[in-house]
């Protein structure tokens, strides 16, 4: 049951992994990723053809023959030809570097071009985060924003920093009031306390915003009257697993979760996974610099592409906001997936998935505090996930890797059907 669908992102990551280490062979990388070596070779050839296609046609050089009787080009001719070839090589390398840089920028910034998204400010933040590795002019061109707009946004950095600092100070005081009330006060009573005790001129709207931002929630003693269609999270989703993370066949039961990947300087990437309970195969995953619902949607859609269909499967998760969102419920319905969620605040109800994420970070970081940058993190995790599926022995499978375990099950099922 080898994955037959490969996204463009998967192909690009596979080619980048091959080029990242001169000691790696096509056979080694293909084995790690669980793909056919000739398939990987074709991806590499196509990538080289794409890069080479952007080069200008090589100028045909004409050599001046040496004086009669010399029998070949003169030394000056050879030097001139050598210098011309060196110049052409420098130009080709420069163009290749430009194409590679543009591709790298576009791959990182793909999410900022989704139709209907108002993400200009986020594009500015992307430029700010990557200006040390790419020129601002190039980043603005690739993200389709004006440099003047970016510099105006960057010029207001101090104001944003001051606002953030003020929010932090207010949140600290709100936290004190909240704890003193036995964690019962919501934004109306907290606002009143700030006005009466602290003498602050503050409206409830700002108090509520800061409380949401820092996760300070009061106790709701009455049900609110709802005037809109409730989110799926308002309707309880049953726990169909009961802490049983096993299955009798592939593509029956899946579990999923999100984990953070530290990449230095206080920054993180986030990994969402979809794991088959039968073989512990990671059927789908997604890595991004955010924790929005799109992260888990991309992972589930990759699993659907890997399996061909998820119709009739059960997907189990915790009660995180992303898994309780309306958009995720809609996607599950579209894919024919039945949702299952554990109890609120009970980590044991999704322990197997959390254990997987712990193993990933333990084996890759080896005690380090994080990866050396987002690109390195993405490449290393990408390779590990594919090796995990196609190479790493798993104790739950009798020390057989997930893909081989599924193949053994398929062969056994076929033999049983023939015998019947």
């Amino acid at each position: 049951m080898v994955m037959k669908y490969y996204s463009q992102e998967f192909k690009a990551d596979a080619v980048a992994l091959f080029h990242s280490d001169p000691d790696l062979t096509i056979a080694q990388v293909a084995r790690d990723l669980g793909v056919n070596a000739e398939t990987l070779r074709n991806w590499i050839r196509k990538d080289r053809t794409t890069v080479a296609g952007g080069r200008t046609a090589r100028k045909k050089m004409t050599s001046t023959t040496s004086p009669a009787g010399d029998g070949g080009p003169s030394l000056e001719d050879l030097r001139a030809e050598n210098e011309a070839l060196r110049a052409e090589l420098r130009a080709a390398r420069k163009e290749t570097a430009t194409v590679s840089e543009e591709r790298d920028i576009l791959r990182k910034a793909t999410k900022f071009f989704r139709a209907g998204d108002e993400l200009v400010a986020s594009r500015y933040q992307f430029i700010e985060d990557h200006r040390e590795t790419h020129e601002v002019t190039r980043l603005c061109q690739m993200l389709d924003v004006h440099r003047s707009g970016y510099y105006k946004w960057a010029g207001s950095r101090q104001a944003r920093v001051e606002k953030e600092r003020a929010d932090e100070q207010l949140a600290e005081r709100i936290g004190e009031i909240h704890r003193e009330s036995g964690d019962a006060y919501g934004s109306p009573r907290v606002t009143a306390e700030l006005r009466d005790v602290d003498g602050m001129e503050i409206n409830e709207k700002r108090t509520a915003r800061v409380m949401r931002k820092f996760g300070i929630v009061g106790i709701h003693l009455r049900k609110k009257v709802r005037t809109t269609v409730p989110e799926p999270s308002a309707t309880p989703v049953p726990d169909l697993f009961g802490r049983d993370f096993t299955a009798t066949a592939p593509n029956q039961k899946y579990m999923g979760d999100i984990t953070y990947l530290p990449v230095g300087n206080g920054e993180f990437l986030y990994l969402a996974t979809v794991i088959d309970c039968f073989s512990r195969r990671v059927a789908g995953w997604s890595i991004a610099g955010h924790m929005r619902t799109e992260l888990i949607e991309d992972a589930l859609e990759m699993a659907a592409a890997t399996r061909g269909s998820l119709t009739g499967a059960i997907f189990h998760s915790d009660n995180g906001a992303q898994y309780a969102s309306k958009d995720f419920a809609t996607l599950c319905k579209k894919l024919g997936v039945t949702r299952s969620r554990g109890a609120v605040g009970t980590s044991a109800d999704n322990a197997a998935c959390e254990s997987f994420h712990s193993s990933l970070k333990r084996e890759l970081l080896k005690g380090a505090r994080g990866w050396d940058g987002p690109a390195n993190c993405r490449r290393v995790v990408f390779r590990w996930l594919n090796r995990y599926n196609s190479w790493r022995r798993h104790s739950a499978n009798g020390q057989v890797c997930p893909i081989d375990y599924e193949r053994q099950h398929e062969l056994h099922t076929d033999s049983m059907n023939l015998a019947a």
Side-chain angles (χ1 to χ4, degrees):
M1 302 177 74
V2 180
M3 183 171 73
K4 296 182 180 180
Y5 167 83
Y6 303 98
S7 66
Q8 291 300 322
E9 183 179 9
F10 185 96
K11 296 176 184 178
D13 284 334
V15 174
L17 176 61
F18 171 73
H19 289 304
S20 68
D21 188 345
D23 294 331
L24 286 176
T25 66
I26 290 178
Q28 288 174 326
V29 176
R31 178 171 176 264
D32 288 346
L33 303 185
V35 303
N36 184 275
E38 190 58 33
T39 299
L40 177 59
R41 195 187 309 278
N42 289 335
W43 294 346
I44 295 171
R45 287 173 181 164
K46 185 174 181 180
D47 181 72
R48 288 172 177 168
T49 301
T50 301
V51 174
R55 299 175 182 169
T56 56
R58 176 176 294 181
K59 295 181 180 179
K60 185 175 181 181
M61 297 185 61
T62 58
S63 58
T64 305
T65 58
S66 61
D70 185 75
S74 66
L75 180 59
E76 292 184 357
D77 291 337
L78 291 175
R79 287 176 175 172
E81 181 178 357
N82 183 54
E83 183 58 32
L85 289 173
R86 286 177 178 272
E88 184 178 356
L89 179 59
R90 287 195 296 270
R93 286 175 174 171
K94 183 177 180 180
E95 186 170 357
T96 299
T98 300
V99 172
S100 178
E101 181 185 27
E102 290 179 350
R103 183 181 64 180
D104 186 43
I105 293 173
L106 287 174
R107 284 181 55 200
K108 293 176 182 177
T110 298
K111 60 179 174 295
F112 297 103
F113 292 94
R114 290 176 178 167
D117 283 351
E118 297 294 337
L119 294 174
V120 175
S122 296
R123 294 184 190 182
Y124 290 155
Q125 186 63 55
F126 180 88
I127 295 171
E128 183 76 8
D129 294 341
H130 295 84
R131 62 180 301 172
E132 298 298 326
T133 54
H134 304 287
E135 293 182 355
V136 171
T137 300
R138 178 62 56 78
L139 288 166
C140 289
Q141 290 173 348
M142 298 303 297
L143 271 71
D144 193 26
V145 296
H146 295 291
R147 279 193 307 162
S148 59
Y150 161 70
Y151 284 119
K152 181 179 180 180
W153 175 88
S156 63
R157 181 187 300 110
Q158 185 60 35
R160 294 195 303 275
V161 170
E162 292 176 358
K163 181 180 179 181
E164 183 68 25
R165 187 181 298 116
D167 283 351
E168 291 176 356
Q169 293 174 351
L170 178 59
E172 184 176 350
R173 176 57 182 143
I174 290 175
E176 293 175 357
I177 297 172
H178 191 250
R179 287 190 295 273
E180 289 172 358
S181 72
D183 298 336
Y185 277 8
S187 59
R189 290 187 173 88
V190 170
T191 303
E193 189 79 5
L194 290 171
R195 290 171 178 171
D196 297 341
V197 178
D198 295 60
M200 293 182 60
E201 295 183 1
I202 185 172
N203 57 35
E204 185 184 335
K205 183 177 179 181
R206 185 187 178 194
T207 303
R209 178 181 63 80
V210 173
M211 291 182 70
R212 285 195 304 270
K213 182 177 179 180
F214 290 88
I216 305 173
V217 182
I219 297 174
H220 299 281
L221 299 180
R222 296 180 299 173
K223 290 184 67 175
K224 291 185 178 181
V225 177
R226 297 185 180 272
T227 58
T228 59
V229 178
E231 292 286 338
S233 56
T235 303
V237 173
D239 181 357
L240 303 178
F241 271 35
R243 301 186 184 181
D244 178 10
F245 301 103
T246 62
T248 58
N251 204 27
Q252 290 182 344
K253 295 168 62 178
Y254 291 91
M255 52 187 170
D257 201 359
I258 302 173
T259 191
Y260 71 93
L261 305 172
V263 294
N265 297 323
E267 297 180 353
F268 301 91
L269 290 179
Y270 298 94
L271 168 68
T273 52
V274 178
I275 304 173
D276 193 306
C277 293
F278 173 74
S279 62
R280 296 300 195 268
R281 178 178 181 176
V282 188
W285 70 81
S286 179
I287 303 174
H290 62 81
M291 291 180 62
R292 296 191 295 272
T293 304
E294 297 101 291
L295 180 70
I296 62 171
E297 288 178 331
D298 290 345
L300 191 63
E301 287 177 336
M302 178 181 175
T306 300
R307 294 304 195 187
S309 173
L310 294 179
T311 301
I314 300 173
F315 178 82
H316 183 81
S317 69
D318 59 19
N319 284 272
Q322 299 86 351
Y323 294 109
S325 68
K326 182 178 180 180
D327 289 343
F328 186 68
T330 301
L331 177 62
C332 288
K333 184 176 180 180
K334 174 184 174 183
L335 297 177
V337 174
T338 300
R339 291 181 298 149
S340 169
R341 293 209 300 264
V344 177
T346 306
S347 60
D349 286 352
N350 206 24
C353 206
E354 294 182 0
S355 175
F356 167 81
H357 289 155
S358 296
S359 297
L360 181 151
K361 287 188 276 192
R362 181 177 63 252
E363 294 183 16
L364 290 181
L365 290 175
K366 297 180 175 62
R369 300 187 66 177
W371 283 272
D372 183 20
N376 179 52
C377 173
R378 183 183 181 89
R379 183 170 59 248
V380 171
V381 173
F382 171 77
R383 186 183 187 190
W384 190 90
L385 288 170
N386 283 280
R387 283 172 62 90
Y388 175 91
N389 282 337
S390 61
W391 181 82
R392 185 182 182 277
R393 298 180 183 275
H394 202 295
S395 58
N397 300 339
Q399 301 302 338
V400 177
C401 74
I403 288 181
D404 285 346
Y405 190 71
E406 291 184 357
R407 286 174 179 157
Q408 291 178 7
H409 175 267
E410 186 176 15
L411 291 173
H412 177 73
T413 301
D414 291 344
S415 63
M416 292 291 290
N417 290 337
L418 289 174

